[in-house]
Amino acid sequence: GAVVSQHPSRVICKSGTSVKIECRSLDFQATTMFWYRQFPKQSLMLMATSNEGSKATYEQGVEKDKFLINHASLTLSTLTVTSAHPEDSSFYICSATRPGQGTYNEQFFGPGTRLTVL
Amino acid sequence: AQRVTQPEKLLSVFKGAPVELKCNYSYSGSPELFWYVQYSRQRLQLLLRHISRESIKGFTADLNKGETSFHLKKPFAQEEDSAMYYCALKRSGNTPLVFGKGTRLSVIA
């Protein structure tokens, strides 16, 4: 089956530093990847849609200058949390869509990255 | 706007009892509905989608457009069914999923 990886799985950083999270589709090419954020005991909230070779589309309320997304290849998207603050501490999950039959593109999820900002 | 509502945060049932996880949605167009499951310490994975109309691990879900519901059902719960279940909706095409808040199912032996 399709596999999506994320690196790192867990990161702890000081306030004011930047953190980069990678999302890779290991055995398929993903033209579109999505970044979600999940707070404890809450649902996944879409942050942005990342399309290979173009600028990401951010959801309302998500600061594009704070959450930089780069989708440089068909198998890699990165999310950089710039000047991180404690309120950015969260679980970040990416998903990648694998082209399927007809109009259905199944989404496969990464294992998530736990970010803790001290 | 698209919205998915899962009214129950936690559902506890005894092993062998029937299970129904509720999901209601609001969307003006024709949605695609999904159920995702997240077992302890594992990633989110697709359980089933309404288009395929299949039964996975004994679970079924029927899309009721009149009631805008997509409830997940299983006639006899098993301990290994204990997990977090998310109902999700998406528009057609290469679009993101909109998730409900999830329901934690706990199956008691």
Side-chain angles (χ1 to χ4, degrees):
Chain A
V3 178
V4 175
S5 71
Q6 281 185 242
H7 178 80
S9 58
R10 186 183 296 267
V11 58
I12 300 172
C13 69
K14 292 183 179 179
S15 184
T17 61
S18 294
V19 174
K20 179 185 285 188
I21 302 170
E22 293 185 350
C23 176
R24 294 182 184 270
S25 56
L26 298 185
D27 51 359
F28 66 99
Q29 293 185 330
T31 54
T32 302
M33 291 183 175
F34 301 101
W35 286 96
Y36 296 85
R37 182 173 179 176
Q38 185 177 32
F39 290 103
K41 299 187 178 182
Q42 295 190 30
S43 187
L44 286 78
M45 298 298 294
L46 179 69
M47 297 176 66
T49 300
S50 171
N51 292 300
E52 186 269 337
S54 64
K55 290 183 178 180
T57 303
Y58 290 82
E59 294 300 297
Q60 193 173 12
V62 178
E63 298 177 59
K64 61 180 67 175
D65 294 330
K66 180 166 188 62
F67 298 99
L68 301 178
I69 291 173
N70 187 337
H71 195 151
S73 76
L74 288 172
T75 59
L76 173 64
S77 176
T78 60
L79 168 68
T80 301
V81 183
T82 62
S83 186
H85 287 93
E87 57 265 30
D88 298 325
S89 298
S90 188
F91 197 54
Y92 292 89
I93 303 171
C94 74
S95 71
T97 57
R98 182 181 68 177
Q101 295 181 346
T103 60
Y104 176 57
N105 300 318
E106 184 170 347
Q107 283 192 36
F108 295 90
F109 286 82
T113 296
R114 171 82 55 200
L115 170 63
T116 302
V117 185
L118 303 177
Chain B
Q2 306 154 64
R3 184 176 296 175
V4 177
T5 303
Q6 292 179 251
E8 303 138 329
K9 280 189 177 180
L10 173 66
L11 183 64
S12 296
V13 300
F14 286 104
K15 178 182 175 181
V19 173
E20 182 178 52
L21 301 174
K22 290 183 167 50
C23 173
N24 288 89
Y25 67 91
S26 62
Y27 179 54
S28 56
S30 293
E32 297 178 23
L33 273 298
F34 304 82
W35 275 99
Y36 280 81
V37 60
Q38 188 170 29
Y39 299 102
S40 180
R41 299 183 183 277
Q42 294 188 27
R43 71 186 68 194
L44 207 61
Q45 56 185 285
L46 178 66
L47 181 61
L48 52 78
R49 56 186 181 120
H50 88 273
I51 291 178
S52 59
R53 299 184 64 82
E54 57 194 347
S55 174
I56 302 293
K57 299 184 178 182
F59 285 97
T60 59
D62 291 318
L63 178 61
N64 186 323
K65 292 186 177 181
E67 296 182 357
T68 60
S69 68
F70 188 55
H71 303 327
L72 182 68
K73 300 177 183 179
K74 184 170 182 176
F76 307 104
Q78 302 299 315
E79 289 181 74
E80 55 264 31
D81 296 329
S82 296
M84 196 74 182
Y85 291 81
Y86 292 96
C87 182
L89 172 157
K90 69 184 290 291
R91 305 187 309 271
S92 59
N94 207 9
T95 56
L97 291 159
V98 175
F99 287 90
K101 292 189 175 181
T103 297
R104 181 167 299 282
L105 174 64
S106 177
V107 181
I108 306 165

